[in-house]
Amino acid sequence: MNYEVLKQFQLDSPAVSSDRYGCGHINETYLVVTESGRRYILQKISNRAFPDVAGLQENISAVTRHLHTKISNPYGALTLIPTLDGLDYYHAGENSDWRVYDFIEGSLCLQAPETPEDFYQSAIAFGTFQQQLEDFPAETLHETIKNFHNTPDRFRIFKEVLAKDVMGRAKDVQPEIDFVLAHEEVGKKLTAMLAAGELPLRVTHNDTKLNNVMLCEKTRTPLCVIDLDTTMPGLSAYDFGDSIRFGAATAAEDEKDLSKMTINLDLFRIFTRGFLKACPGLTENERKVLPLGALTMTLECGTRFLTDYLDGDHYFGIHRPEHNLDRCRTQFKLVSEMEAKWDEMAKIVEEESK
Ligand code: ADP
Ligand code: GN1
Ligand code: MG
């Protein structure tokens, strides 16, 4: 299948290999090598996550073109490879949409920071990304996943799925269900502030996991921000928060031993420093809600994992039966740890804002 699809793209020479690649939860990603030795990334776009592939690809095409006008390094932003028809994705049939990117050579993709400096550099990468899109016409972007970080709406969907309980799993996860219900109020704060005009809407990435940034192999400084599927209007707190959720955590997202999971405040501080440096235009309110962004993104992500577990694991790719439940548990443990260290987090943001 892959080779038939690859023939539809303007590669430099025929493909000789195409192997599963990376640790993403959403798209099917393949590393492609051609006869000349050149490398590409082939992705089957998840139709489950993204019903409007045409709109999604229009966003990515416009955003990457905009980014390329701001930089000189060709690997500083993603580059879509056109199809033989000059389109930016190939529709092979129902639920079968594919795209190809140039492989970002000379880069590193980390699942966890190896040094605090790596995490600092990822803050610079995502902060700069947001700055570079400051003059992008936000109104032209399609909302690729409706209500993506609308946390109250995530609670609504959770309750709907819980009421159906199609897999009969609810009886075994009462503590996790109670955790969601006990956190509904705090989870609604950011969207309430947005609605009240207390926080500005910006063009944000919305999926700022550490493994969505490529660092330069040699200098370990930011090279390229990838995974642009969810780039659309959002809050700066979402981008800050999702990075903290993943990168300042002391355990992997699917760790089973919850005693290993807490928030590393040194990493929290260093990321805050980098993000504020790269985004000097944040308003006072935006800075103040950064800890709330971290808590909200972690709570929301855990709720989404639990929802998918109850629903039968259709959204996130899983590698074992209780994978989504394990993921949910790490997120809720991390929320509790953030609550325990709340005052310290607020103090760090205050100190780094000076
Ligand atoms: P997902 O939405 O499933 O997370 P990503 O677009 O993040 O998919 O891709 C998954 C992984 O593939 C990334 O974490 C990265 O390791 C690798 N990857 C994606 N695009 C490129 C690229 N252009 N060059 C090199 N590696 C890439
Ligand atoms: C997904 O695509 P990936 O693996 O970078 C998800 C994020 C979640 C994350 C949890 C489009 O990110 O929202 O926070 O998994 N992306 C989408 O690891 O739903
Ligand atoms: Mg990704």
Side-chain angles (χ1 to χ4, degrees):
M1 175 71 188
N2 285 9
Y3 291 97
E4 286 312 304
V5 167
L6 285 163
K7 278 186 199 155
Q8 302 298 323
F9 287 88
Q10 298 184 29
L11 307 183
D12 74 323
S13 52
V16 292
S17 68
S18 168
D19 299 313
R20 271 308 278 268
Y21 190 74
C23 295
H25 296 342
I26 303 297
N27 299 305
E28 265 176 46
T29 301
Y30 300 85
L31 169 63
V32 173
V33 183
T34 65
E35 264 173 28
S36 71
R38 186 157 164 183
R39 305 201 287 176
Y40 295 91
I41 287 286
L42 167 70
Q43 282 184 326
K44 181 167 192 269
I45 303 163
S46 166
N47 293 91
R48 174 96 197 172
F50 304 107
D52 176 17
V53 175
L56 167 76
Q57 286 299 106
E58 227 176 276
N59 280 3
I60 295 184
S61 181
V63 167
T64 52
R65 267 188 278 117
H66 183 92
L67 293 173
H68 276 295
T69 64
K70 308 241 160 169
I71 51 173
S72 51
N73 182 348
Y75 290 140
L78 283 171
T79 302
L80 281 165
I81 304 297
T83 65
L84 299 180
D85 298 334
L87 303 175
D88 50 31
Y89 74 102
Y90 175 62
H91 177 69
E94 203 186 336
N95 291 339
S96 186
D97 292 294
W98 301 77
R99 67 180 167 219
V100 175
Y101 289 118
D102 248 337
F103 190 89
I104 308 290
E105 296 291 353
S107 64
L108 278 175
C109 177
L110 302 173
Q111 298 307 319
E114 287 171 9
T115 63
E117 179 67 17
D118 288 340
F119 198 42
Y120 176 79
Q121 295 298 342
S122 79
I124 299 288
F126 287 121
T128 306
F129 178 85
Q130 197 178 109
Q131 276 302 118
Q132 286 171 335
L133 291 172
E134 205 182 28
D135 56 343
F136 184 90
E139 67 287 355
T140 62
L141 284 173
H142 301 269
E143 201 181 345
T144 53
I145 299 180
K146 294 257 175 290
N147 293 315
F148 188 59
H149 283 319
N150 182 340
T151 313
D153 199 60
R154 296 288 184 180
F155 292 141
R156 180 188 64 76
I157 297 169
F158 165 75
K159 286 184 200 165
E160 264 179 34
V161 168
L162 176 61
K164 288 196 191 120
D165 191 22
V166 285
M167 307 297 290
R169 289 174 169 175
K171 61 181 184 324
D172 301 321
V173 294
Q174 199 56 49
E176 288 75 17
I177 294 170
D178 292 342
F179 192 93
V180 178
L181 300 178
H183 285 81
E184 269 196 274
E185 283 317 305
V186 66
K188 288 178 177 169
K189 282 188 184 173
L190 277 182
T191 43
M193 287 181 78
L194 173 65
E198 291 162 18
L199 294 171
L201 205 57
R202 300 183 182 273
V203 176
T204 48
H205 182 282
N206 296 310
D207 188 1
T208 52
K209 289 197 323 199
L210 185 67
N211 64 13
N212 285 333
V213 62
M214 314 297 281
L215 296 179
C216 170
E217 207 170 51
K218 287 201 187 109
T219 61
R220 290 184 94 101
T221 55
L223 191 53
C224 181
V225 168
I226 61 166
D227 204 345
L228 307 180
D229 296 326
T230 51
T231 299
M232 52 189 167
L235 297 180
S236 50
Y238 298 157
D239 278 4
F240 175 87
D242 203 40
S243 277
I244 296 299
R245 172 190 81 73
F246 192 78
T250 54
E253 196 178 69
D254 57 359
E255 172 62 55
K256 280 173 175 289
D257 178 357
L258 294 182
S259 70
K260 291 185 179 160
M261 180 56 107
T262 185
I263 176 165
N264 177 326
L265 289 179
D266 294 332
L267 289 177
F268 180 80
R269 180 184 291 279
I270 215 133
F271 192 91
T272 304
R273 189 174 297 163
F275 197 74
L276 291 176
K277 180 170 183 220
C279 287
L282 295 190
T283 65
E284 197 185 333
N285 272 350
E286 280 183 296
R287 285 199 299 270
K288 266 198 194 139
V289 299
L290 292 179
L292 184 60
L295 189 143
T296 307
M297 288 298 96
T298 312
L299 174 66
E300 179 188 284
C301 196
T303 305
R304 292 172 62 200
F305 287 141
L306 184 60
T307 304
D308 200 32
Y309 179 71
L310 292 174
D311 199 31
D313 307 301
H314 298 299
Y315 187 87
F316 296 105
I318 55 163
H319 306 293
R320 54 179 189 255
E322 300 208 325
H323 211 162
N324 272 320
L325 181 59
D326 292 340
R327 289 169 175 155
C328 152
R329 288 180 170 150
T330 62
Q331 301 307 292
F332 290 170
K333 174 74 191 322
L334 187 54
V335 169
S336 301
E337 293 290 315
M338 288 178 184
E339 287 171 334
K341 297 181 178 175
W342 192 247
D343 293 344
E344 287 162 272
M345 287 167 69
K347 190 160 165 261
I348 289 171
V349 170
E350 206 186 303
E351 285 168 3
E352 294 300 329
S353 298
K354 282 178 191 152

